[in-house]
């Protein structure tokens, strides 16, 4: 139990705050909302078909990914250590290593080795970049967020889908993975619902901006005599690029997204 000093009680009851010493090799394995159980009780839980709450069983899924590379070619190890420390207090980060060391490969011919980091949104990217600079005095190259596209291969009489597809849908993020010429396929892109609060005098310009960004199902709702709410469905690729900047420019900074 946690008091001004630690007291070993072997059990905790409702309302008490305590700690458990576990042999985790990676602290990120301890996710918020995790359920602890004794090893001997696991068969009983499985036999009773225990259902976990959605917040625990589903976890957090990244909605966009970006590549993060060190400014200097030999700074990968320091960057990797700094991001791992950030991940201890930021459960929304999803980290995948694309290069094993500062001399490895996997980050491309120009940027070199790096990390593929998943974020919860555009604001999360900015917070990550700022924390990296403020807490570790480290600048990094963060590529524009990548949007996953789902490719569904369509069979024809004389052609079958590639073996990598396994008859299922394939998710790609880079143009290098785009299907080669001659394939029949269907492309599915993620769509998001956006909500914008804006002064009434900027509503017309913002609606034109949404149309240029391939927005559909647009609806407007007056909040009061000065403010409108605009909702729409938009392709995620058009949102993560420069939509926020164009929105602020169109509304002189008054619209919120």
């Amino acid at each position: 139990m946690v008091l001004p000093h630690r007291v070993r009680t072997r059990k905790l009851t409702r309302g008490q705050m305590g700690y458990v010493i576990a042999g985790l090799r990676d602290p990120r394995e301890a996710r918020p909302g995790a359920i602890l159980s004794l090893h001997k009780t696991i068969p009983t839980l499985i036999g009773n078909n225990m259902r976990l709450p959605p917040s625990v069983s589903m976890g957090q899924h990244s909605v966009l990914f970006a590549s993060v590379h060190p400014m200097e070619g030999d700074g990968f190890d320091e960057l990797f250590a700094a991001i791992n420390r950030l991940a201890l207090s930021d459960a929304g980060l999803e980290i995948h290593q694309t290069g094993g060391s500062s001399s490895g490969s996997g980050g491309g011919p120009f940027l070199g080795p790096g990390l593929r980091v998943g974020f919860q949104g555009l604001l999360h990217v900015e917070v990550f970049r700022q924390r990296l600079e403020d807490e570790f005095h480290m600048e990094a190259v963060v590529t524009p967020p990548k949007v996953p596209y789902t490719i569904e291969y369509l069979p024809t009489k004389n052609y079958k889908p590639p073996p990598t597809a396994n008859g299922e849908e394939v998710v790609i993020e880079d143009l290098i993975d785009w299907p080669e010429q001659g394939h029949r396929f269907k492309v599915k892109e993620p769509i998001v619902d956006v909500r914008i609060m804006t002064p009434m005098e900027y509503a017309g310009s913002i609606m034109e901006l949404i149309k240029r960004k391939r927005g559909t199902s647009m609806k407007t709702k007056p909040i009061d005599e000065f403010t409108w709410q605009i909702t729409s469905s938009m392709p995620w690729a058009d949102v993560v690029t420069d939509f926020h900047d164009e929105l602020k420019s169109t509304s002189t900074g008054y619209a919120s997204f």
Side-chain angles (χ1 to χ4, degrees):
M1 185 165 55
V2 179
L3 297 172
H5 56 281
R6 294 180 177 180
V7 178
R8 188 169 184 176
T9 62
R10 294 186 178 274
K11 65 178 181 178
L12 293 173
T13 58
R14 181 176 299 178
Q16 293 180 332
M17 179 181 296
Y19 65 95
V20 175
I21 299 177
L24 297 178
R25 294 182 178 272
D26 187 351
R28 287 176 296 172
E29 294 179 5
R31 310 293 292 182
I35 295 178
L36 303 180
S37 64
L38 297 176
H39 185 270
K40 63 182 180 180
T41 63
I42 293 180
T44 303
L45 297 177
I46 296 176
N48 293 335
N49 296 322
M50 177 182 176
R51 294 185 178 181
L52 299 178
S55 59
V56 177
S57 58
M58 295 298 293
Q60 288 184 315
H61 298 280
S62 300
V63 298
L64 58 88
F65 290 86
S67 296
V68 182
H69 302 267
M71 293 292 291
E72 303 295 335
D74 57 351
F76 176 79
D77 294 332
E78 291 79 5
L79 177 66
F80 185 55
I83 294 179
N84 272 329
R85 290 185 61 185
L86 278 181
L88 295 179
S89 58
D90 189 345
L93 289 178
E94 184 179 340
I95 303 172
H96 303 277
Q97 188 171 345
T98 60
S101 64
S102 58
S103 60
S105 60
F110 302 107
L111 295 177
L115 298 170
R116 180 175 179 266
V117 183
F119 300 94
Q120 301 302 308
L122 291 174
L123 179 60
H124 194 196
V125 178
E126 296 302 321
V127 172
F128 165 82
R129 193 199 309 264
Q130 193 64 42
R131 287 191 62 191
L132 199 62
E133 183 176 347
D134 293 345
E135 299 179 22
F136 299 93
H137 308 288
M138 182 177 297
E139 293 185 0
V141 177
V142 181
T143 64
K146 298 179 181 180
V147 176
Y149 289 85
T150 301
I151 304 296
E152 180 183 352
Y153 286 93
L154 304 176
T156 61
K157 294 182 179 179
N158 300 322
Y159 184 79
K160 296 181 179 181
T164 55
N166 294 325
E168 301 291 338
E169 298 176 339
V170 179
V171 178
I172 66 172
E173 294 179 350
D174 295 307
L175 286 176
I176 193 174
D177 299 323
W178 197 260
E180 298 178 357
Q181 186 176 4
H183 294 274
R184 289 186 67 244
F185 57 90
K186 181 188 300 183
V187 181
K188 302 178 183 179
E189 64 176 337
I191 303 294
V192 296
D193 295 327
V194 301
R195 181 175 59 189
I196 300 169
M197 305 292 289
T198 177
M200 182 176 58
E201 57 266 27
Y202 300 109
S205 300
I206 292 177
M207 293 171 67
E208 290 296 327
L209 172 63
I210 294 175
K211 290 180 181 179
R212 292 202 306 271
K213 297 296 183 178
R214 299 186 292 156
T216 59
S217 304
M218 194 183 312
K219 297 180 181 180
T220 60
K221 176 183 177 182
I223 302 301
D224 54 39
E225 56 180 328
F226 303 108
T227 308
W228 277 22
Q229 174 182 287
I230 303 175
T231 58
S232 177
S233 297
M234 295 178 58
W236 185 224
D238 288 278
V239 174
V240 300
T241 50
D242 57 357
F243 179 74
H244 183 264
D245 294 337
E246 291 195 33
L247 176 65
K248 290 297 183 181
S249 176
T250 301
S251 64
T252 323
Y254 285 102
S256 60
F257 168 52

